Amino acid sequence: MAKVLLINGSPNEHGCTYTALHEVEGVLRRHGVETEILWLGRKPVAGCIACNTCARTGHCVFGPETFDDKVNRVLDELDSIDAIVVGSPVYYAAASGQITSFLNRLFYAGGRRMTGKLGAAVVSCRRGGAASAFDQLNKYFTINNMPVVGSQYWNQVHGNLPEQVLQDAEGLQTLSTLAKNMAWLLKCIEAGKNAGIACPVPEKVIRTNFIR
């Protein structure tokens, strides 16, 4: 059974972002997909400090110290995760600080292992700024060979409270379509593997600096 990890990047455990992710989760489960919603919590999430320890260990650590958050937990579970849905509230037309720091470190340490996994972003806003936050989150997927799952509109919901999000009929339908598309693609990938269709082999990366 395929598994989707939904990451709640809001400081509110059961706020508007959770409400949106919960809608996606419900549809995925109805289509036979295993899910987990991971809440990052309210404690500060450390940003990447460019120590490059992850290049040697595969984990995000600095010397004898380990950042006390959930990045390493997700890195340990990556092999059992087939798709990631990242959810965030919109702060100043951007994703939350927690989810940004979390994803910077998660993808820097585990980006190569993300190849072939499906990715999708969901944003929640009161009124504006959703498009730029949505664009920001999708960039993590497109730089790591992850097929991005789309919907009938950009994956966003509007509301200042969870009950207001549940009144956003178009937003909820967009999330439902997203989940159905993701479930279908996961089944297509599994069918392809069973039929002997191999995943593309990554080429050796060519890096061209702008200034030498």
Side-chain angles (χ1 to χ4, degrees), residues 17-18 46-47 52 65 85 93 111 115 126 132 136 150 161 164 167:
T17 302
Y18 167 82
N52 283 322
E65 301 176 359
V85 180
T115 296
R126 184 192 67 83
S132 53
Q136 174 189 346
L161 297 169
Q164 294 172 348
Q167 296 174 37

Side-chain angles (χ1 to χ4, degrees), residues 78-95:
L78 268 185
D79 292 342
S80 66
I81 296 170
D82 301 289
I84 295 176
V85 180
V86 177
S88 176
V90 175
Y91 292 159
Y92 295 96

Side-chain angles (χ1 to χ4, degrees), residues 22-165:
H22 186 61
E23 288 292 316
V24 176
E25 178 185 47
V27 176
L28 287 171
R29 287 187 173 183
R30 287 196 292 274
H31 284 78
V33 178
E34 181 184 352
T35 64
E36 177 190 356
I37 294 182
L38 175 68
W39 180 49
L40 299 187
R42 287 188 164 177
K43 293 182 179 180
V45 177
C48 177
I49 57 174
C51 66
N52 283 322
T53 303
C54 59
R56 301 189 303 272
T57 68
H59 286 80
C60 188
V61 296
F62 177 62
E65 301 176 359
T66 301
F67 289 132
D68 186 20
D69 53 36
K70 299 180 175 69
V71 172
N72 284 326
R73 174 193 157 183
V74 175
L75 287 171
D76 286 339
E77 298 175 359
L78 268 185
D79 292 342
S80 66
I81 296 170
D82 301 289
I84 295 176
V85 180
V86 177
S88 176
V90 175
Y91 292 159
Y92 295 96
S96 72
Q98 287 103 321
I99 195 67
T100 300
S101 293
F102 183 88
L103 293 177
N104 282 349
R105 289 169 46 219
L106 177 67
F107 277 84
Y108 192 68
R112 292 181 181 178
R113 297 168 61 200
M114 297 289 184
T115 296
K117 301 182 189 298
L118 302 183
V122 171
V123 294
S124 167
C125 68
R126 184 192 67 83
R127 187 170 179 86
S132 53
F134 181 66
D135 176 66
Q136 174 189 346
L137 293 174
N138 278 307
K139 284 184 168 65
Y140 290 97
F141 311 134
T142 58
I143 200 173
N144 285 288
N145 290 301
M146 298 175 67
V148 178
V149 184
S151 184
Q152 64 198 44
Y153 197 79
W154 299 302
N155 307 324
Q156 61 189 55
V157 292
H158 291 261
N160 206 39
L161 297 169
E163 51 266 33
Q164 294 172 348
V165 169

